[in-house]
Amino acid sequence: MTVELLSDTTPEARMAGAILCGVIGRHAEELSQSIAKQTDWITATVMRLGLWMQGRDTGQAVNPLNLLARRDIPRTTLIFAMLHGDDPLALEALLNPQSEAPDDLARLLEDYGWWRVLDRYLPEDAPRWRPGTGTELQQLQIDLLRDWYLVNRHRLKND
């Protein structure tokens, strides 16, 4: 199924296939071949992220943190790739701990189920999101996560 997505007619399916390849760590050759056929920069860039997630050479520099400045590549896709690729700045990008928390963070974690993603990639000593709470407790959980990250970020970056 994953390889089939790489040759789908829609860019969204090809990008999803590439990220799935990155997660499962397989089909690098097929992904590289598919990248070579891409004429759309965004699609090719997201597909390169799939290789980057596997720790493979992408043929071009891939810096997900720089790509976060773009509005045409989904922020959550980039952060997910960064988390999976063990990029120490992934939590920085998600939590924005030295400024205002992203407006959509509670919605992302709770409504879109991203707490499961975060739970998978957080270190064992990190606070865990508890789903099904009200707005006030969600904000408390966000504050707790952001504070934990600020206290531990140098350790995380050096690991």
Side-chain angles (χ1 to χ4, degrees), residues 137-150:
L137 283 176
Q138 288 176 0
Q139 187 57 52
L140 181 64
Q141 291 184 87
I142 287 171
D143 292 342
L144 185 62
L145 278 167
R146 295 175 81 221
D147 291 347
W148 173 86
Y149 176 73
L150 280 173

Side-chain angles (χ1 to χ4, degrees), residues 116-137:
R116 292 175 181 92
V117 174
L118 192 58
D119 195 50
R120 161 70 175 82
Y121 292 103
L122 279 174
E124 286 186 26
D125 65 329
R128 301 295 176 198
W129 185 266
R130 302 289 178 232
T133 61
T135 305
E136 196 172 296
L137 283 176

Side-chain angles (χ1 to χ4, degrees), residues 100-121:
E100 294 295 318
D103 291 337
D104 63 343
L105 187 55
R107 190 167 152 216
L108 177 67
L109 292 169
E110 186 72 26
D111 297 343
Y112 291 101
W114 244 72
W115 65 269
R116 292 175 181 92
V117 174
L118 192 58
D119 195 50
R120 161 70 175 82
Y121 292 103

Side-chain angles (χ1 to χ4, degrees), residues 5-122:
L5 287 172
L6 296 175
S7 58
D8 194 274
T9 58
T10 63
E12 294 82 10
R14 289 192 302 270
M15 290 186 282
I19 297 300
L20 285 172
C21 287
V23 170
I24 64 173
R26 298 179 56 204
H27 310 298
E29 184 61 35
E30 293 91 339
L31 184 52
S32 294
Q33 291 171 2
S34 187
I35 291 168
K37 297 175 189 174
Q38 296 309 308
T39 57
D40 179 62
W41 183 87
I42 294 169
T43 305
T45 299
V46 172
M47 293 179 96
R48 278 189 204 88
L49 273 175
L51 287 176
W52 179 85
M53 290 168 73
Q54 294 182 10
R56 298 182 186 268
D57 180 23
T58 64
Q60 292 183 8
V62 173
N63 186 338
L65 189 62
N66 288 346
L67 293 172
L68 283 169
R70 299 185 60 94
R71 296 280 181 205
D72 48 4
I73 300 176
R75 179 176 150 260
T76 53
T77 299
L78 293 167
I79 293 171
F80 176 65
M82 292 170 73
L83 285 168
H84 189 79
D86 291 327
D87 188 321
L89 296 176
L91 291 173
E92 187 100 21
L94 178 66
L95 302 173
N96 195 27
Q98 294 185 325
S99 187
E100 294 295 318
D103 291 337
D104 63 343
L105 187 55
R107 190 167 152 216
L108 177 67
L109 292 169
E110 186 72 26
D111 297 343
Y112 291 101
W114 244 72
W115 65 269
R116 292 175 181 92
V117 174
L118 192 58
D119 195 50
R120 161 70 175 82
Y121 292 103
L122 279 174

